[in-house]
Structure formats: structure tokens, C-alpha cells
Amino acid sequence: MRPEVAVTGLGLVTPAGHSAEENWAALCRGRSSAAPDPELAGLPVDFSCRVRDFDAGSQLGRSPARRLDRFIQFALVAARRAVADAGLDHRTWHGDRVGVVLGVGSNSLSTYVTEFCHLAAGRPERVSPLALPRSVPSMAAGEVAIDLGARGPSFTTSSACASGATAIGVARDLLRSGTCDIVLAGGSESARSRMTATCFTRMRALSRRRTDPALASRPFDAARDGFVLGEGAAVLVLERLSTARARRAPVLALLRGYGATADAHHPVAPHPDGDGAVRALAAALADAGCHPRDIGHVNAHGTSTPLNDAAEAAALTRLFGGKVPPVTASKGVIGHALGAAGAIQAAYTVLALRHGSVPPVANFEGQDGDHKLDIVTGHPRPTGADTGITCSFGFGGQNAVLLFTAP
């Protein structure tokens, strides 16, 4: 019999706040955090959902703050908070049995643009020797492992916008196999660079509602026109349930199911019928030994782009038939954190199970097309269900679904 895996702690740094309590309150208010972004001033799309009031120097110390890129700073703070939330002390744990798996969608374009400018100006001597170690995706997990003395497996998953969810699924397998006793799993990303914003704008993926950014991110809404760049991190502490109970740890939720598939269809567009998403959903249900009727709510990928929302709605309708459970989509509030999005959604799914309610989708006014979902709007919806799933899909047809139950 496969061991059950428990979530015993979580840490969050997002545009909705720096704690679980702040994030939950913001989700329940259902208002977008999008606003003009000084980093993007002068571009065709000049707004984002950014983490505010984040002082890396006070959180991590001045020297680490200077040498680390923003996505690594987020990861370190979220990991520290997750460990504290789990009642663990990294100074006393058996570090050889502690792993770190973090999802990161891309490297830091802001850092590279600065360094490439030095090269273009014929000044290679001005390129920072820290350019690589402060910006390559693997350094998020590496710096967390260094900071917390986690000497077990430490690596990064990169499956585009499914990266954070993939990391949590892989971490679950490390615990099931007996490779680790504790895994810090999640994702981190800060993609508010001018190059990233320009690339997505050229792809027509970003909303262009510059006159009112707070109305721009609107998952599943008929008037959606693209996503809003976000940033942030979420880290979950995962342990085998038996281990957590032995040390009388708080058990926030159980990670019961994980499904991962590929569309094998198109570099950036989802399969129009949601084929890969349906298979990932079905795989997560089968892994957990659950039936579609057991699911109490869905935290959807919900990017607010025309094609992705339509494909996801099609997938949910195919899987659940005429009885799709209540659907929420947190990107309406915090924007799209890319590689970190799946991890943040996982944390939000755990919080929804803990609070017994489903937060609303920001800016939702009405659906279009043939796939009608039960979108939670206006106010949180109480639910007595003890099971939730979270969906993450990314470029290259990457699909990852996680299934959580209340303990």
C-alpha cells in the first residue's frame, strides 16, 4: 500500500500578501491586484500584478538580497515560512533526508538584459560574475537547500506554467519511494521584465486594458482578452502522513493524486478539445482512487486568454459531464505567476479545504461558448466537500493536476 502524503506547512509570497491569512483574505474579496508597473512604463502593456512591500534586505540580510535575483528571494522567504508553519527546525532535522523541488518557468530575463547590454557596448569586463548563479532556474532550489541545510535531492522542474504543480507531484513521489522524509516543494517566478512583457505582448497573450488594469484579468469571462503578468512563490512542506503524525505535526491536507500528460499538439496553443487536460485530470483521479463526483471544487488554470480558458472549460465539461463542481480561478486576483502559478494554486486549494469555502473569480460577469461552468462569483461559496483539484497547463502542451483532500 502506498504511503499517504501530508501537507504540514505552507509559505506564500504573492501580490495578494506575504502570509496565508493575507492571501486568503484577498482571494475572498475577489478584487484584482493589477496596477501600472513602473518597471514596464512606456510599453504597450505597462501594468502587472506585483508583490508589494517586499523588502529582501530585511527578510534575508543585505548581502544575500544584493546577490540574489527576485525569484530566488521569494523562494527563500516562502520556504522559511513553510518550515516554520510546519513546526520544523532546520537546525535539528536530518538534512540528508530533506529534499527541495521547486518549479521555475524560465531564467531571469531582467538580469540577462542588463549583462547583454554590457557586451553590446564592448565592455565584457563589466559583466557580473554573479550573472549566472543569481539567475539560472536551478538556483532557487539550490539556495533554499543551502539556506535550510536540506542535503537530500535538490532540483528544479521546468514545465512552463505547470512547473510549480509538477514540482509538487515529483516531490510526492520522492516521499512515496522512501527517498526523502521531508520535501519542500513549490515554485517561484518573477517575470515582470520588459523583455518578458514585450514577448507576451507580441504573442497577443497579454490583456491590453491599460485604462483600467484592475478589470484586465477575468478568467472564463466572455470579455477576456489575455492574462496579466504576475509574480510570487509558494512552498509546501510535504511529509508522509505517518511521519507527520509521529511528530504530532499539523496536517493541513493530504496530497492524494497527481496526473501529468502532454498534449503533443502545438508549441503554445492548447488542444482545442482539452484532450491532454482531460487525461491529466483522469490520471489524478485514478491515482487518488476518486470518482469525478467526489470532487468538491476546482481551482482552474484560468489564464483569462480566449483559447486556454475555452480548452480548459471543454476539458472540465468532458470529465464531469453536466455536473462540474464549483470552479474558482485565482489569476483574476493575482495575475499569472507563470512557473510559480501551479504551486500558488496548490496552496490556495489547501486553504480552501481548510476554510470550507471556495473564493470567487475576480471580474467574472458571464460566459460564452458551449461550455458552461459553475463559476464562483461575488462572494466565497461555502462547501461541505473535502476534496479539491488544481489544474496547471503550459507551453508545449504540459499538463499537471493535483488532488487534495482534507485530513
Side-chain angles (χ1 to χ4, degrees):
M1 184 176 179
R2 296 178 301 184
E4 291 193 281
V5 172
V7 180
T8 57
L10 60 85
L12 284 159
V13 179
T14 80
H18 301 182
S19 68
E21 294 75 18
E22 289 176 351
N23 273 264
W24 183 251
L27 289 177
C28 290
R29 287 192 295 270
R31 294 196 294 270
S32 173
S33 60
D37 187 340
E39 180 73 21
L40 308 179
L43 295 179
V45 176
D46 59 359
F47 59 91
S48 73
C49 293
R50 55 193 170 108
V51 174
R52 297 176 181 271
D53 303 320
F54 182 79
D55 185 344
S58 64
Q59 298 275 0
L60 305 171
R62 292 178 62 185
S63 179
R66 283 197 303 267
R67 71 176 177 83
L68 298 176
D69 230 22
R70 190 167 167 89
F71 78 100
I72 300 177
Q73 295 170 356
F74 289 160
L76 282 173
V77 172
R80 288 180 180 182
R81 291 177 179 169
V83 169
D85 189 45
L88 291 164
D89 186 343
H90 72 277
R91 295 168 297 185
T92 60
W93 65 19
H94 184 20
D96 291 353
R97 301 287 300 168
V98 180
V100 182
V101 187
L102 296 181
V104 179
S106 65
N107 55 17
S108 175
L109 290 181
S110 293
T111 291
Y112 281 124
V113 167
T114 299
E115 306 305 335
F116 280 132
C117 285
H118 294 320
L119 282 179
R123 300 293 301 275
E125 72 279 2
R126 298 195 63 183
V127 173
S128 171
L130 297 177
L132 286 176
R134 72 174 293 172
S135 58
V136 294
S138 62
M139 291 308 295
E143 291 284 359
V144 167
I146 293 167
D147 187 62
L148 296 174
R151 299 188 299 271
S154 172
F155 56 91
T156 296
T157 58
S158 186
S159 48
C161 300
S163 298
T166 303
I168 293 170
V170 170
R172 189 279 309 264
D173 291 344
L174 289 175
L175 291 164
R176 279 187 173 180
S177 69
T179 302
C180 297
D181 295 328
I182 300 168
V183 184
L184 311 181
S188 187
E189 193 95 81
S190 181
R192 291 172 34 251
S193 77
R194 297 177 68 82
M195 179 61 78
T196 302
T198 299
C199 288
F200 279 124
T201 300
R202 296 286 293 160
M203 294 173 64
R204 300 182 180 178
L206 297 184
S207 171
R208 292 176 178 257
R209 296 175 188 266
R210 297 179 63 186
T211 57
D212 199 345
L215 298 179
S217 186
R218 43 199 318 119
F220 299 107
D221 186 73
R224 66 192 184 276
D225 71 328
F227 72 84
V228 176
L229 278 173
E231 62 179 353
V235 175
L236 278 60
V237 176
L238 303 181
E239 306 176 61
R240 284 183 292 277
L241 180 60
S242 58
T243 304
R245 284 177 172 167
R247 70 176 187 87
R248 298 183 179 179
V251 176
L252 307 181
L254 300 179
L255 174 53
R256 295 279 303 280
Y258 168 56
T261 64
D263 283 358
H265 168 69
H266 189 275
V268 296
H271 192 286
D273 296 330
D275 178 71
V278 171
R279 290 185 288 109
L281 285 158
L285 287 167
D287 186 42
C290 290
H291 188 276
R293 64 172 173 268
D294 299 325
I295 305 304
H297 84 278
V298 176
N299 193 315
H301 188 56
T303 59
S304 185
T305 57
L307 292 180
N308 279 274
D309 285 7
E312 185 170 14
L316 293 172
T317 301
R318 284 178 57 189
L319 182 79
F320 291 102
K323 297 182 178 180
V324 179
V327 174
T328 187
S330 52
K331 292 181 182 67
V333 173
I334 66 169
H336 193 350
L338 305 179
I344 295 170
Q345 286 179 220
Y348 287 170
T349 303
V350 171
L351 291 176
L353 294 173
R354 296 286 291 172
H355 288 274
S357 64
V358 184
V361 177
N363 297 324
F364 180 82
E365 296 179 347
Q367 296 175 75
D368 59 2
D370 299 326
H371 310 290
K372 299 298 182 182
L373 303 178
D374 180 10
I375 304 293
V376 179
T377 63
H379 304 281
R381 185 186 301 180
T383 174
D386 62 359
T387 303
I389 57 174
T390 176
C391 304
S392 298
F393 313 122
F395 281 177
Q398 311 275 6
N399 307 301
V401 175
L402 301 169
L403 186 152
F404 295 92
T405 64

